Amino acid sequence: MYLELIALDPGQSLPDPPRQAPFGLMNPAVQAHVALRPRLIHCVHRVSPGHLADAVRAAPYAVSPPQAMSRGERHWQIALASWPQDQASNPHPTLIDWGDTPSAGFSLGASGVCLLSLDQSRLQARISTALDERLLD
């Protein structure tokens, strides 16, 4: 399992006009929910390489068209789950295809951060309901 903490960069000015940030980060409900401490509010599921378009078509919820993204030498395709405006979390996973690029979890060095526990039971139940498991790696 690879976990990534994602947040708005407080040193970066907001775009003018404002645009929607991925993972609901501009959503006031999300901002209020994470204001006191980090929280698991969303998940991303890796699909088999080359099958992102199939996963998007099969998803029983709204997903953006696949978008090419990159950071450094990593390149991937991602399809963002639509974020309900009034909700602080999103039960529908975003879909990612790392293609031939190893995911960041395989290439990042040790962070010194230790995850003490993670209860996935509620999240796993929502994921199972939201997406056919045959599309997941």
Side-chain angles (χ1 to χ4, degrees):
M1 177 186 292
Y2 162 68
L3 295 176
E4 182 174 352
L5 298 179
I6 298 175
L8 292 174
D9 181 348
Q12 186 177 22
S13 60
L14 295 176
D16 186 26
R19 67 178 187 275
Q20 189 62 28
F23 312 115
L25 294 176
M26 296 292 290
N27 181 328
V30 171
Q31 291 178 355
H33 190 58
V34 301
L36 298 177
R37 64 182 170 88
R39 296 175 189 260
L40 180 60
I41 59 167
H42 190 57
C43 64
V44 177
H45 278 292
R46 181 179 190 169
V47 299
S48 300
H51 292 282
L52 183 58
D54 296 334
V56 167
R57 280 191 297 276
Y61 54 89
V63 184
S64 75
Q67 306 168 44
M69 299 187 88
S70 65
R71 183 182 309 142
E73 295 183 15
R74 283 190 285 286
H75 303 274
W76 63 92
Q77 294 270 324
I78 193 165
L80 299 165
S82 145
W83 200 280
Q85 280 299 332
D86 60 343
Q87 293 186 15
S89 64
N90 187 351
H92 303 304
T94 285
L95 306 171
I96 192 167
D97 177 354
W98 286 102
D100 295 333
T101 304
S103 74
F106 292 108
S107 58
L108 295 175
S111 67
V113 175
C114 179
L115 180 65
L116 300 177
S117 69
L118 177 63
D119 179 359
Q120 300 183 99
S121 57
R122 290 186 343 196
L123 181 64
Q124 200 61 39
R126 290 187 288 174
I127 292 166
S128 295
T129 302
L131 188 63
D132 180 1
E133 291 185 24
R134 67 185 162 80
L135 298 174
L136 305 177
D137 271 350

mmCIF file of all heavy atoms in Angstrom, residues 28-81:
data_model
loop_
_atom_site.group_PDB
_atom_site.id
_atom_site.type_symbol
_atom_site.label_atom_id
_atom_site.label_comp_id
_atom_site.label_asym_id
_atom_site.label_seq_id
_atom_site.Cartn_x
_atom_site.Cartn_y
_atom_site.Cartn_z
ATOM 1 N N PRO A 28 -14.963 23.880 0.515
ATOM 2 C CA PRO A 28 -15.002 24.360 1.900
ATOM 3 C C PRO A 28 -15.286 23.251 2.918
ATOM 4 O O PRO A 28 -14.745 23.272 4.022
ATOM 5 C CB PRO A 28 -16.119 25.413 1.898
ATOM 6 C CG PRO A 28 -16.199 25.867 0.483
ATOM 7 C CD PRO A 28 -15.853 24.660 -0.353
ATOM 8 N N ALA A 29 -16.107 22.270 2.555
ATOM 9 C CA ALA A 29 -16.390 21.173 3.487
ATOM 10 C C ALA A 29 -15.129 20.353 3.749
ATOM 11 O O ALA A 29 -14.865 19.944 4.888
ATOM 12 C CB ALA A 29 -17.495 20.281 2.925
ATOM 13 N N VAL A 30 -14.333 20.115 2.724
ATOM 14 C CA VAL A 30 -13.072 19.387 2.893
ATOM 15 C C VAL A 30 -12.102 20.205 3.739
ATOM 16 O O VAL A 30 -11.480 19.693 4.672
ATOM 17 C CB VAL A 30 -12.437 19.044 1.523
ATOM 18 C CG1 VAL A 30 -11.031 18.489 1.694
ATOM 19 C CG2 VAL A 30 -13.314 18.069 0.763
ATOM 20 N N GLN A 31 -11.965 21.481 3.437
ATOM 21 C CA GLN A 31 -11.042 22.330 4.188
ATOM 22 C C GLN A 31 -11.401 22.367 5.669
ATOM 23 O O GLN A 31 -10.523 22.289 6.525
ATOM 24 C CB GLN A 31 -11.010 23.734 3.584
ATOM 25 C CG GLN A 31 -10.347 23.744 2.223
ATOM 26 C CD GLN A 31 -10.337 25.111 1.574
ATOM 27 O OE1 GLN A 31 -10.913 26.074 2.078
ATOM 28 N NE2 GLN A 31 -9.694 25.201 0.427
ATOM 29 N N ALA A 32 -12.682 22.450 5.988
ATOM 30 C CA ALA A 32 -13.100 22.445 7.395
ATOM 31 C C ALA A 32 -12.820 21.087 8.036
ATOM 32 O O ALA A 32 -12.401 21.012 9.199
ATOM 33 C CB ALA A 32 -14.588 22.787 7.501
ATOM 34 N N HIS A 33 -13.014 20.017 7.293
ATOM 35 C CA HIS A 33 -12.830 18.656 7.812
ATOM 36 C C HIS A 33 -11.371 18.364 8.161
ATOM 37 O O HIS A 33 -11.084 17.662 9.125
ATOM 38 C CB HIS A 33 -13.354 17.667 6.774
ATOM 39 C CG HIS A 33 -13.465 16.258 7.234
ATOM 40 N ND1 HIS A 33 -14.225 15.852 8.307
ATOM 41 C CD2 HIS A 33 -12.905 15.128 6.744
ATOM 42 C CE1 HIS A 33 -14.130 14.552 8.463
ATOM 43 N NE2 HIS A 33 -13.334 14.081 7.530
ATOM 44 N N VAL A 34 -10.449 18.899 7.385
ATOM 45 C CA VAL A 34 -9.021 18.620 7.618
ATOM 46 C C VAL A 34 -8.316 19.734 8.386
ATOM 47 O O VAL A 34 -7.104 19.672 8.576
ATOM 48 C CB VAL A 34 -8.280 18.326 6.293
ATOM 49 C CG1 VAL A 34 -8.880 17.135 5.588
ATOM 50 C CG2 VAL A 34 -8.242 19.544 5.398
ATOM 51 N N ALA A 35 -9.044 20.745 8.811
ATOM 52 C CA ALA A 35 -8.414 21.897 9.462
ATOM 53 C C ALA A 35 -7.694 21.529 10.759
ATOM 54 O O ALA A 35 -6.655 22.101 11.075
ATOM 55 C CB ALA A 35 -9.463 22.981 9.734
ATOM 56 N N LEU A 36 -8.213 20.588 11.516
ATOM 57 C CA LEU A 36 -7.625 20.262 12.811
ATOM 58 C C LEU A 36 -6.555 19.183 12.737
ATOM 59 O O LEU A 36 -5.648 19.155 13.563
ATOM 60 C CB LEU A 36 -8.721 19.841 13.791
ATOM 61 C CG LEU A 36 -9.758 20.909 14.089
ATOM 62 C CD1 LEU A 36 -10.841 20.357 15.009
ATOM 63 C CD2 LEU A 36 -9.095 22.126 14.722
ATOM 64 N N ARG A 37 -6.698 18.268 11.775
ATOM 65 C CA ARG A 37 -5.720 17.181 11.656
ATOM 66 C C ARG A 37 -5.865 16.523 10.285
ATOM 67 O O ARG A 37 -6.917 16.631 9.653
ATOM 68 C CB ARG A 37 -5.912 16.146 12.750
ATOM 69 C CG ARG A 37 -7.236 15.410 12.710
ATOM 70 C CD ARG A 37 -7.365 14.423 13.875
ATOM 71 N NE ARG A 37 -8.695 13.889 13.975
ATOM 72 C CZ ARG A 37 -9.128 12.805 13.328
ATOM 73 N NH1 ARG A 37 -8.334 12.146 12.548
ATOM 74 N NH2 ARG A 37 -10.366 12.380 13.494
ATOM 75 N N PRO A 38 -4.822 15.849 9.834
ATOM 76 C CA PRO A 38 -4.946 15.125 8.565
ATOM 77 C C PRO A 38 -6.005 14.040 8.675
ATOM 78 O O PRO A 38 -6.205 13.448 9.734
ATOM 79 C CB PRO A 38 -3.559 14.494 8.377
ATOM 80 C CG PRO A 38 -2.657 15.246 9.275
ATOM 81 C CD PRO A 38 -3.497 15.735 10.417
ATOM 82 N N ARG A 39 -6.705 13.811 7.588
ATOM 83 C CA ARG A 39 -7.743 12.784 7.557
ATOM 84 C C ARG A 39 -7.714 12.088 6.205
ATOM 85 O O ARG A 39 -7.370 12.689 5.190
ATOM 86 C CB ARG A 39 -9.125 13.401 7.746
ATOM 87 C CG ARG A 39 -9.320 14.060 9.085
ATOM 88 C CD ARG A 39 -10.684 14.739 9.089
ATOM 89 N NE ARG A 39 -10.854 15.571 10.249
ATOM 90 C CZ ARG A 39 -11.530 15.207 11.336
ATOM 91 N NH1 ARG A 39 -12.085 14.020 11.410
ATOM 92 N NH2 ARG A 39 -11.657 16.031 12.342
ATOM 93 N N LEU A 40 -8.114 10.828 6.208
ATOM 94 C CA LEU A 40 -8.270 10.094 4.966
ATOM 95 C C LEU A 40 -9.615 10.487 4.382
ATOM 96 O O LEU A 40 -10.665 10.173 4.942
ATOM 97 C CB LEU A 40 -8.214 8.588 5.232
ATOM 98 C CG LEU A 40 -8.354 7.682 4.022
ATOM 99 C CD1 LEU A 40 -7.246 7.929 3.016
ATOM 100 C CD2 LEU A 40 -8.352 6.225 4.461
ATOM 101 N N ILE A 41 -9.595 11.222 3.275
ATOM 102 C CA ILE A 41 -10.842 11.715 2.692
ATOM 103 C C ILE A 41 -11.120 11.133 1.311
ATOM 104 O O ILE A 41 -12.206 11.306 0.775
ATOM 105 C CB ILE A 41 -10.858 13.253 2.600
ATOM 106 C CG1 ILE A 41 -9.702 13.752 1.742
ATOM 107 C CG2 ILE A 41 -10.839 13.878 3.990
ATOM 108 C CD1 ILE A 41 -9.820 15.203 1.347
ATOM 109 N N HIS A 42 -10.142 10.457 0.736
ATOM 110 C CA HIS A 42 -10.308 9.969 -0.632
ATOM 111 C C HIS A 42 -9.286 8.883 -0.903
ATOM 112 O O HIS A 42 -8.298 8.754 -0.179
ATOM 113 C CB HIS A 42 -10.121 11.137 -1.606
ATOM 114 C CG HIS A 42 -10.492 10.825 -3.022
ATOM 115 N ND1 HIS A 42 -11.730 10.368 -3.388
ATOM 116 C CD2 HIS A 42 -9.788 10.913 -4.164
ATOM 117 C CE1 HIS A 42 -11.762 10.190 -4.708
ATOM 118 N NE2 HIS A 42 -10.583 10.509 -5.196
ATOM 119 N N CYS A 43 -9.510 8.123 -1.943
ATOM 120 C CA CYS A 43 -8.541 7.102 -2.338
ATOM 121 C C CYS A 43 -8.414 7.101 -3.855
ATOM 122 O O CYS A 43 -9.277 7.594 -4.574
ATOM 123 C CB CYS A 43 -8.953 5.737 -1.809
ATOM 124 S SG CYS A 43 -10.503 5.137 -2.492
ATOM 125 N N VAL A 44 -7.312 6.559 -4.297
ATOM 126 C CA VAL A 44 -7.030 6.417 -5.717
ATOM 127 C C VAL A 44 -6.734 4.948 -5.961
ATOM 128 O O VAL A 44 -5.974 4.342 -5.207
ATOM 129 C CB VAL A 44 -5.824 7.285 -6.135
ATOM 130 C CG1 VAL A 44 -5.489 7.087 -7.606
ATOM 131 C CG2 VAL A 44 -6.088 8.754 -5.828
ATOM 132 N N HIS A 45 -7.351 4.376 -6.980
ATOM 133 C CA HIS A 45 -7.115 2.968 -7.304
ATOM 134 C C HIS A 45 -6.355 2.838 -8.607
ATOM 135 O O HIS A 45 -6.708 3.454 -9.600
ATOM 136 C CB HIS A 45 -8.427 2.193 -7.394
ATOM 137 C CG HIS A 45 -8.919 1.783 -6.067
ATOM 138 N ND1 HIS A 45 -8.292 0.852 -5.287
ATOM 139 C CD2 HIS A 45 -9.979 2.212 -5.365
ATOM 140 C CE1 HIS A 45 -8.949 0.720 -4.161
ATOM 141 N NE2 HIS A 45 -9.966 1.538 -4.181
ATOM 142 N N ARG A 46 -5.338 2.012 -8.549
ATOM 143 C CA ARG A 46 -4.534 1.710 -9.726
ATOM 144 C C ARG A 46 -5.265 0.676 -10.577
ATOM 145 O O ARG A 46 -5.728 -0.337 -10.070
ATOM 146 C CB ARG A 46 -3.186 1.153 -9.276
ATOM 147 C CG ARG A 46 -2.264 0.832 -10.402
ATOM 148 C CD ARG A 46 -0.955 0.315 -9.848
ATOM 149 N NE ARG A 46 0.006 0.225 -10.921
ATOM 150 C CZ ARG A 46 1.279 0.012 -10.731
ATOM 151 N NH1 ARG A 46 1.747 -0.131 -9.511
ATOM 152 N NH2 ARG A 46 2.095 -0.054 -11.754
ATOM 153 N N VAL A 47 -5.374 0.967 -11.874
ATOM 154 C CA VAL A 47 -5.958 0.003 -12.798
ATOM 155 C C VAL A 47 -4.832 -0.632 -13.602
ATOM 156 O O VAL A 47 -3.717 -0.113 -13.657
ATOM 157 C CB VAL A 47 -7.014 0.646 -13.732
ATOM 158 C CG1 VAL A 47 -8.160 1.231 -12.926
ATOM 159 C CG2 VAL A 47 -6.405 1.701 -14.622
ATOM 160 N N SER A 48 -5.118 -1.741 -14.210
ATOM 161 C CA SER A 48 -4.118 -2.431 -15.021
ATOM 162 C C SER A 48 -3.641 -1.510 -16.134
ATOM 163 O O SER A 48 -4.450 -0.781 -16.733
ATOM 164 C CB SER A 48 -4.708 -3.695 -15.635
ATOM 165 O OG SER A 48 -5.140 -4.575 -14.623
ATOM 166 N N PRO A 49 -2.334 -1.527 -16.424
ATOM 167 C CA PRO A 49 -1.810 -0.648 -17.478
ATOM 168 C C PRO A 49 -2.572 -0.811 -18.789
ATOM 169 O O PRO A 49 -2.873 -1.921 -19.221
ATOM 170 C CB PRO A 49 -0.352 -1.110 -17.627
ATOM 171 C CG PRO A 49 0.001 -1.663 -16.282
ATOM 172 C CD PRO A 49 -1.273 -2.314 -15.788
ATOM 173 N N GLY A 50 -2.934 0.329 -19.370
ATOM 174 C CA GLY A 50 -3.653 0.333 -20.630
ATOM 175 C C GLY A 50 -5.156 0.178 -20.518
ATOM 176 O O GLY A 50 -5.859 0.171 -21.528
ATOM 177 N N HIS A 51 -5.699 0.073 -19.294
ATOM 178 C CA HIS A 51 -7.136 -0.167 -19.124
ATOM 179 C C HIS A 51 -7.877 0.985 -18.447
ATOM 180 O O HIS A 51 -9.010 0.803 -17.990
ATOM 181 C CB HIS A 51 -7.360 -1.457 -18.327
ATOM 182 C CG HIS A 51 -6.949 -2.671 -19.083
ATOM 183 N ND1 HIS A 51 -7.722 -3.225 -20.073
ATOM 184 C CD2 HIS A 51 -5.820 -3.412 -19.021
ATOM 185 C CE1 HIS A 51 -7.105 -4.273 -20.582
ATOM 186 N NE2 HIS A 51 -5.938 -4.416 -19.963
ATOM 187 N N LEU A 52 -7.282 2.158 -18.397
ATOM 188 C CA LEU A 52 -7.947 3.280 -17.726
ATOM 189 C C LEU A 52 -9.243 3.668 -18.441
ATOM 190 O O LEU A 52 -10.265 3.887 -17.794
ATOM 191 C CB LEU A 52 -7.010 4.482 -17.606
ATOM 192 C CG LEU A 52 -7.565 5.686 -16.850
ATOM 193 C CD1 LEU A 52 -7.978 5.301 -15.428
ATOM 194 C CD2 LEU A 52 -6.543 6.816 -16.820
ATOM 195 N N ALA A 53 -9.219 3.753 -19.760
ATOM 196 C CA ALA A 53 -10.440 4.128 -20.490
ATOM 197 C C ALA A 53 -11.560 3.123 -20.220
ATOM 198 O O ALA A 53 -12.716 3.516 -20.054
ATOM 199 C CB ALA A 53 -10.153 4.238 -21.979
ATOM 200 N N ASP A 54 -11.219 1.827 -20.155
ATOM 201 C CA ASP A 54 -12.219 0.805 -19.837
ATOM 202 C C ASP A 54 -12.788 1.024 -18.439
ATOM 203 O O ASP A 54 -13.993 0.895 -18.219
ATOM 204 C CB ASP A 54 -11.614 -0.599 -19.910
ATOM 205 C CG ASP A 54 -11.141 -0.972 -21.306
ATOM 206 O OD1 ASP A 54 -11.688 -0.414 -22.284
ATOM 207 O OD2 ASP A 54 -10.223 -1.804 -21.404
ATOM 208 N N ALA A 55 -11.913 1.333 -17.478
ATOM 209 C CA ALA A 55 -12.348 1.553 -16.093
ATOM 210 C C ALA A 55 -13.248 2.775 -15.999
ATOM 211 O O ALA A 55 -14.243 2.765 -15.271
ATOM 212 C CB ALA A 55 -11.137 1.697 -15.182
ATOM 213 N N VAL A 56 -12.927 3.829 -16.736
ATOM 214 C CA VAL A 56 -13.759 5.039 -16.727
ATOM 215 C C VAL A 56 -15.144 4.720 -17.280
ATOM 216 O O VAL A 56 -16.155 5.111 -16.705
ATOM 217 C CB VAL A 56 -13.078 6.178 -17.525
ATOM 218 C CG1 VAL A 56 -14.036 7.323 -17.790
ATOM 219 C CG2 VAL A 56 -11.837 6.672 -16.790
ATOM 220 N N ARG A 57 -15.197 3.997 -18.389
ATOM 221 C CA ARG A 57 -16.504 3.638 -18.981
ATOM 222 C C ARG A 57 -17.323 2.758 -18.040
ATOM 223 O O ARG A 57 -18.540 2.846 -17.984
ATOM 224 C CB ARG A 57 -16.310 2.929 -20.323
ATOM 225 C CG ARG A 57 -16.032 3.860 -21.474
ATOM 226 C CD ARG A 57 -16.123 3.138 -22.812
ATOM 227 N NE ARG A 57 -15.134 2.077 -22.960
ATOM 228 C CZ ARG A 57 -13.873 2.275 -23.366
ATOM 229 N NH1 ARG A 57 -13.465 3.494 -23.655
ATOM 230 N NH2 ARG A 57 -13.040 1.255 -23.482
ATOM 231 N N ALA A 58 -16.659 1.884 -17.284
ATOM 232 C CA ALA A 58 -17.359 0.948 -16.411
ATOM 233 C C ALA A 58 -17.708 1.529 -15.045
ATOM 234 O O ALA A 58 -18.532 0.956 -14.332
ATOM 235 C CB ALA A 58 -16.501 -0.302 -16.209
ATOM 236 N N ALA A 59 -17.106 2.642 -14.680
ATOM 237 C CA ALA A 59 -17.339 3.213 -13.347
ATOM 238 C C ALA A 59 -18.812 3.590 -13.189
ATOM 239 O O ALA A 59 -19.372 4.268 -14.048
ATOM 240 C CB ALA A 59 -16.452 4.428 -13.124
ATOM 241 N N PRO A 60 -19.433 3.180 -12.078
ATOM 242 C CA PRO A 60 -20.845 3.490 -11.863
ATOM 243 C C PRO A 60 -21.049 4.862 -11.206
ATOM 244 O O PRO A 60 -22.034 5.086 -10.518
ATOM 245 C CB PRO A 60 -21.299 2.357 -10.934
ATOM 246 C CG PRO A 60 -20.077 2.016 -10.165
ATOM 247 C CD PRO A 60 -18.920 2.227 -11.103
ATOM 248 N N TYR A 61 -20.120 5.773 -11.413
ATOM 249 C CA TYR A 61 -20.181 7.136 -10.880
ATOM 250 C C TYR A 61 -19.435 8.041 -11.851
ATOM 251 O O TYR A 61 -18.743 7.567 -12.750
ATOM 252 C CB TYR A 61 -19.583 7.206 -9.464
ATOM 253 C CG TYR A 61 -18.179 6.652 -9.371
ATOM 254 C CD1 TYR A 61 -17.079 7.462 -9.582
ATOM 255 C CD2 TYR A 61 -17.958 5.311 -9.075
ATOM 256 C CE1 TYR A 61 -15.794 6.944 -9.508
ATOM 257 C CE2 TYR A 61 -16.682 4.787 -9.004
ATOM 258 C CZ TYR A 61 -15.599 5.614 -9.217
ATOM 259 O OH TYR A 61 -14.326 5.106 -9.156
ATOM 260 N N ALA A 62 -19.561 9.354 -11.686
ATOM 261 C CA ALA A 62 -18.946 10.305 -12.612
ATOM 262 C C ALA A 62 -17.433 10.362 -12.415
ATOM 263 O O ALA A 62 -16.946 10.533 -11.300
ATOM 264 C CB ALA A 62 -19.545 11.691 -12.394
ATOM 265 N N VAL A 63 -16.707 10.205 -13.521
ATOM 266 C CA VAL A 63 -15.251 10.258 -13.526
ATOM 267 C C VAL A 63 -14.832 11.123 -14.708
ATOM 268 O O VAL A 63 -15.428 11.033 -15.789
ATOM 269 C CB VAL A 63 -14.636 8.843 -13.681
ATOM 270 C CG1 VAL A 63 -13.130 8.888 -13.592
ATOM 271 C CG2 VAL A 63 -15.187 7.888 -12.642
ATOM 272 N N SER A 64 -13.817 11.960 -14.508
ATOM 273 C CA SER A 64 -13.339 12.803 -15.601
ATOM 274 C C SER A 64 -12.715 11.958 -16.698
ATOM 275 O O SER A 64 -12.301 10.818 -16.455
ATOM 276 C CB SER A 64 -12.295 13.798 -15.077
ATOM 277 O OG SER A 64 -11.056 13.129 -14.828
ATOM 278 N N PRO A 65 -12.607 12.497 -17.898
ATOM 279 C CA PRO A 65 -11.843 11.790 -18.935
ATOM 280 C C PRO A 65 -10.393 11.646 -18.456
ATOM 281 O O PRO A 65 -9.901 12.476 -17.694
ATOM 282 C CB PRO A 65 -11.923 12.725 -20.147
ATOM 283 C CG PRO A 65 -13.101 13.608 -19.884
ATOM 284 C CD PRO A 65 -13.192 13.744 -18.400
ATOM 285 N N PRO A 66 -9.686 10.596 -18.885
ATOM 286 C CA PRO A 66 -8.289 10.425 -18.487
ATOM 287 C C PRO A 66 -7.449 11.641 -18.886
ATOM 288 O O PRO A 66 -7.629 12.210 -19.960
ATOM 289 C CB PRO A 66 -7.846 9.179 -19.262
ATOM 290 C CG PRO A 66 -9.110 8.413 -19.486
ATOM 291 C CD PRO A 66 -10.161 9.463 -19.692
ATOM 292 N N GLN A 67 -6.562 12.040 -17.980
ATOM 293 C CA GLN A 67 -5.671 13.171 -18.203
ATOM 294 C C GLN A 67 -4.231 12.709 -18.001
ATOM 295 O O GLN A 67 -3.949 11.996 -17.049
ATOM 296 C CB GLN A 67 -5.938 14.285 -17.184
ATOM 297 C CG GLN A 67 -7.361 14.749 -17.110
ATOM 298 C CD GLN A 67 -7.579 15.620 -15.881
ATOM 299 O OE1 GLN A 67 -6.780 16.479 -15.568
ATOM 300 N NE2 GLN A 67 -8.674 15.376 -15.182
ATOM 301 N N ALA A 68 -3.347 13.126 -18.891
ATOM 302 C CA ALA A 68 -1.929 12.819 -18.727
ATOM 303 C C ALA A 68 -1.337 13.765 -17.690
ATOM 304 O O ALA A 68 -1.615 14.963 -17.700
ATOM 305 C CB ALA A 68 -1.205 12.972 -20.058
ATOM 306 N N MET A 69 -0.553 13.215 -16.765
ATOM 307 C CA MET A 69 0.114 14.029 -15.747
ATOM 308 C C MET A 69 1.543 13.530 -15.599
ATOM 309 O O MET A 69 1.871 12.409 -15.998
ATOM 310 C CB MET A 69 -0.627 13.951 -14.418
ATOM 311 C CG MET A 69 -2.060 14.463 -14.482
ATOM 312 S SD MET A 69 -2.834 14.549 -12.864
ATOM 313 C CE MET A 69 -2.320 16.197 -12.406
ATOM 314 N N SER A 70 2.386 14.375 -15.023
ATOM 315 C CA SER A 70 3.770 13.965 -14.784
ATOM 316 C C SER A 70 4.354 14.788 -13.652
ATOM 317 O O SER A 70 3.891 15.888 -13.348
ATOM 318 C CB SER A 70 4.612 14.129 -16.046
ATOM 319 O OG SER A 70 4.717 15.487 -16.398
ATOM 320 N N ARG A 71 5.359 14.217 -13.038
ATOM 321 C CA ARG A 71 6.159 14.912 -12.028
ATOM 322 C C ARG A 71 7.556 14.308 -12.131
ATOM 323 O O ARG A 71 7.721 13.107 -11.902
ATOM 324 C CB ARG A 71 5.595 14.724 -10.627
ATOM 325 C CG ARG A 71 6.369 15.510 -9.576
ATOM 326 C CD ARG A 71 5.858 15.316 -8.157
ATOM 327 N NE ARG A 71 4.425 15.527 -8.060
ATOM 328 C CZ ARG A 71 3.624 14.805 -7.289
ATOM 329 N NH1 ARG A 71 4.097 13.813 -6.566
ATOM 330 N NH2 ARG A 71 2.342 15.050 -7.236
ATOM 331 N N GLY A 72 8.520 15.126 -12.495
ATOM 332 C CA GLY A 72 9.859 14.598 -12.687
ATOM 333 C C GLY A 72 9.856 13.574 -13.801
ATOM 334 O O GLY A 72 9.339 13.815 -14.889
ATOM 335 N N GLU A 73 10.406 12.394 -13.515
ATOM 336 C CA GLU A 73 10.462 11.335 -14.523
ATOM 337 C C GLU A 73 9.246 10.416 -14.499
ATOM 338 O O GLU A 73 9.148 9.490 -15.292
ATOM 339 C CB GLU A 73 11.738 10.522 -14.338
ATOM 340 C CG GLU A 73 12.987 11.347 -14.614
ATOM 341 C CD GLU A 73 14.251 10.535 -14.506
ATOM 342 O OE1 GLU A 73 14.172 9.283 -14.493
ATOM 343 O OE2 GLU A 73 15.319 11.149 -14.436
ATOM 344 N N ARG A 74 8.316 10.649 -13.593
ATOM 345 C CA ARG A 74 7.114 9.824 -13.511
ATOM 346 C C ARG A 74 6.021 10.400 -14.415
ATOM 347 O O ARG A 74 5.776 11.601 -14.427
ATOM 348 C CB ARG A 74 6.614 9.751 -12.073
ATOM 349 C CG ARG A 74 7.417 8.818 -11.204
ATOM 350 C CD ARG A 74 6.748 8.592 -9.870
ATOM 351 N NE ARG A 74 6.854 9.698 -8.938
ATOM 352 C CZ ARG A 74 7.946 10.015 -8.278
ATOM 353 N NH1 ARG A 74 9.051 9.353 -8.466
ATOM 354 N NH2 ARG A 74 7.955 11.007 -7.425
ATOM 355 N N HIS A 75 5.357 9.524 -15.141
ATOM 356 C CA HIS A 75 4.260 9.898 -16.032
ATOM 357 C C HIS A 75 3.111 8.934 -15.785
ATOM 358 O O HIS A 75 3.333 7.736 -15.627
ATOM 359 C CB HIS A 75 4.700 9.809 -17.499
ATOM 360 C CG HIS A 75 5.885 10.652 -17.804
ATOM 361 N ND1 HIS A 75 5.785 11.978 -18.141
ATOM 362 C CD2 HIS A 75 7.212 10.362 -17.798
ATOM 363 C CE1 HIS A 75 6.988 12.473 -18.336
ATOM 364 N NE2 HIS A 75 7.884 11.506 -18.138
ATOM 365 N N TRP A 76 1.894 9.451 -15.761
ATOM 366 C CA TRP A 76 0.736 8.610 -15.523
ATOM 367 C C TRP A 76 -0.487 9.221 -16.172
ATOM 368 O O TRP A 76 -0.477 10.366 -16.603
ATOM 369 C CB TRP A 76 0.513 8.393 -14.023
ATOM 370 C CG TRP A 76 0.217 9.646 -13.259
ATOM 371 C CD1 TRP A 76 -1.015 10.171 -12.986
ATOM 372 C CD2 TRP A 76 1.160 10.553 -12.681
ATOM 373 N NE1 TRP A 76 -0.894 11.335 -12.264
ATOM 374 C CE2 TRP A 76 0.439 11.591 -12.063
ATOM 375 C CE3 TRP A 76 2.551 10.595 -12.618
ATOM 376 C CZ2 TRP A 76 1.059 12.656 -11.411
ATOM 377 C CZ3 TRP A 76 3.167 11.652 -11.963
ATOM 378 C CH2 TRP A 76 2.416 12.661 -11.365
ATOM 379 N N GLN A 77 -1.545 8.439 -16.203
ATOM 380 C CA GLN A 77 -2.858 8.890 -16.650
ATOM 381 C C GLN A 77 -3.779 8.797 -15.435
ATOM 382 O O GLN A 77 -3.725 7.816 -14.691
ATOM 383 C CB GLN A 77 -3.399 7.976 -17.748
ATOM 384 C CG GLN A 77 -2.609 8.003 -19.032
ATOM 385 C CD GLN A 77 -3.135 9.070 -19.967
ATOM 386 O OE1 GLN A 77 -4.328 9.322 -20.031
ATOM 387 N NE2 GLN A 77 -2.241 9.698 -20.696
ATOM 388 N N ILE A 78 -4.613 9.805 -15.251
ATOM 389 C CA ILE A 78 -5.509 9.809 -14.094
ATOM 390 C C ILE A 78 -6.904 10.243 -14.529
ATOM 391 O O ILE A 78 -7.054 11.071 -15.435
ATOM 392 C CB ILE A 78 -4.957 10.720 -12.973
ATOM 393 C CG1 ILE A 78 -5.687 10.483 -11.654
ATOM 394 C CG2 ILE A 78 -4.967 12.181 -13.397
ATOM 395 C CD1 ILE A 78 -4.982 11.060 -10.450
ATOM 396 N N ALA A 79 -7.909 9.652 -13.917
ATOM 397 C CA ALA A 79 -9.308 10.024 -14.140
ATOM 398 C C ALA A 79 -9.880 10.349 -12.762
ATOM 399 O O ALA A 79 -10.004 9.475 -11.907
ATOM 400 C CB ALA A 79 -10.075 8.892 -14.806
ATOM 401 N N LEU A 80 -10.178 11.618 -12.543
ATOM 402 C CA LEU A 80 -10.619 12.088 -11.234
ATOM 403 C C LEU A 80 -12.097 11.817 -11.009
ATOM 404 O O LEU A 80 -12.932 12.115 -11.859
ATOM 405 C CB LEU A 80 -10.354 13.589 -11.098
ATOM 406 C CG LEU A 80 -8.891 13.996 -11.205
ATOM 407 C CD1 LEU A 80 -8.768 15.493 -11.422
ATOM 408 C CD2 LEU A 80 -8.128 13.564 -9.969
ATOM 409 N N ALA A 81 -12.392 11.253 -9.853
ATOM 410 C CA ALA A 81 -13.789 11.063 -9.467
ATOM 411 C C ALA A 81 -14.404 12.423 -9.193
ATOM 412 O O ALA A 81 -13.786 13.297 -8.596
ATOM 413 C CB ALA A 81 -13.871 10.184 -8.217
#
